[in-house]
Amino acid sequence: MKNRSAARATTLAKPLPARSMAALSLRVFGAVIALMALTTALFAQERTVNDPNLVTPGKLTVGTGDPVYAPWMLNNDPAGGEGFENGLVYALAAEMGFAPGDVVWTGNSFDQTIAPGPKDFDFAIQQISVTGARAQVVTFSDVYYQPEKAVIALPGSPVIDATSFDDLRTARWGVTLGTTDADYLENILGISDAAVYSQQVDVFLAMQSGQIDATVFALPSALFVTAVQVPDAEITALLPSDANDRGHGLLFEYDNPLVDWVNDALTNVIDAGTIEELKATYLVSDPDLPVISE
Amino acid sequence: MSWQQRYLPALISVASVTAMVIALSYVVGGSEAWPRIQAQFFNLDAMRQAFPRVLGGFWTNLWLWGAGLVAIGIWALVLAVMRSMTGPWFAPLRIFTMVYVDLFRGIPALLLVLLFGFGIPALNLSGLPSSGLFWGFVAMVLSYSAYACEIYRAGIDAVHDGQRAAAKALGLGQWQTMWYAVLPQAIRNVIPALLNLVVALQKDVVLLSVIGVRDAVREAQIFTASTFNYSSLVVAALLFMATSIPLARLTDHLARRDRARRTQGAG
């Protein structure tokens, strides 16, 4: 970040003329004025759309998955603004002073998002759970949503009649890599031999071919998957949340100074009731689902 | 031989390697990014934490590798013998193996693992196992045996025709000639090439992780996903190296011994 402003200072200083010795004092004076103007400009720019800490000043660059899934983002189109997470980003952008047209999306895989090194986004949003261990490598915003977990199975699965954790343990489980679902099974249910698949779709392939009996998903994803993607599958029960999983946060490159600005905007957005509205629009759950808690 | 001729080359090798390592560690260790790299990839705490589960997964790799070697060794030999049968009656066998090799050598192993591991269990065939692990394993065996078959065949083709003629003169039939005269020589000829394949297979069994098998790589990925720290992948890499490097030296040794034997025979 420092390098970027230094580069700008030199390009601004260059055009100053160097004709005669007499002009020296004038040049020094001019340079001082220019530098002062530049530094005040830089300070003034913080927390504005031209904040020099942005990947592209003037734009808000947001990373997300590719493809993206409902109900977090509808129609596989982050820029469409329809969905819980892209709705939240456009509300945040408005709060921070960006026009909707100045929000730029970059699609990354989860692995790319968490890879070490500089990021090509200001922050990423992809249902990423905040955990203590992860926070040592990347910087998270405040939590914007804490999902419940849901058990998903096909008809005939042994988990359908389960009423206790013991019943659940008798089933064969599968989860998606990169989610906190494997940790959840291990920490809360004590299941450590779950099959771990690279992608969500592989979990369902394995379920349909009888290799696993059940999987666990964040409730909103579970609602969408069972309603649209895999209509054969159903949510059989809800599970208590994991105390180690603090909920979903925005992911920043480690120590990115933008996080305070975004957090303030997020607080305003939450206070304005936007999250509750988005929840009511996109993340509605069936109130009659059974809950298994021990 | 003077001591200079005997020890100097070795001394120079040691000295130059040491100088190289020092220079490299100076350049890498002195770089600005090194503390971050160390924390992300060579974090001893994270390595210690990830080690038990990565090692647990590694046994799965070793087990798959061992079972794969036996299955591939036998099946590829059967294929190679079928391919080498002479006479018009064996034409279907020869054509079968040709198509087989073209097919399974032409398709990436990863694709086969996905197709078999997810596809066949989805058919719900009665009487066949529905385990993705089993079918993924079958895919690996089919793919690797196509390569191994070609190696065997090269060995069989390299056996001099005089050997066959001699066996025939002794009154051996086609099968007996193959079994007693051709194959022992053919296999001995291609052992270094086969061992190379053995080393490659040891690492390629990690492909089975895509169908849900919790091997060393998948366990390491799980650790990385929950901590965003990559040291677990380095642990997995070290485990693979600890087994493949001795094997590579053994391959070198066998190849050297083989060469010595041949030159002796020629002399």
Side-chain angles (χ1 to χ4, degrees), chain A residues 1 7 18 25 59 63 75 79-80 109 128 144 149 172 214 216 241 245 261 286:
Chain A
M1 299 302 148
S25 60
K59 305 275 179 194
N75 312 320
S109 72
I128 302 167
Y144 57 85
K149 292 281 183 191
R172 294 168 301 163
V216 65
S241 58
D245 187 346
W261 184 26
D286 177 354

Side-chain angles (χ1 to χ4, degrees), chain A residues 110 128-129 131-138 140 178-180, chain B residues 225-228:
Chain A
F110 178 77
I128 302 167
S129 294
T131 66
R134 289 173 168 188
Q136 293 178 355
V137 184
V138 294
F140 286 109
T179 64
T180 48
Chain B
S226 67
T227 60
F228 290 9

Side-chain angles (χ1 to χ4, degrees), chain A residues 115 134 183 192 194 196 198 211, chain B residues 117 132 211 214 218 225-226 228 230:
Chain A
R134 289 173 168 188
D183 289 337
S192 57
V196 178
S198 303
Q211 296 172 41
Chain B
I211 52 169
R214 293 179 75 146
R218 190 42 53 110
S226 67
F228 290 9
Y230 292 77

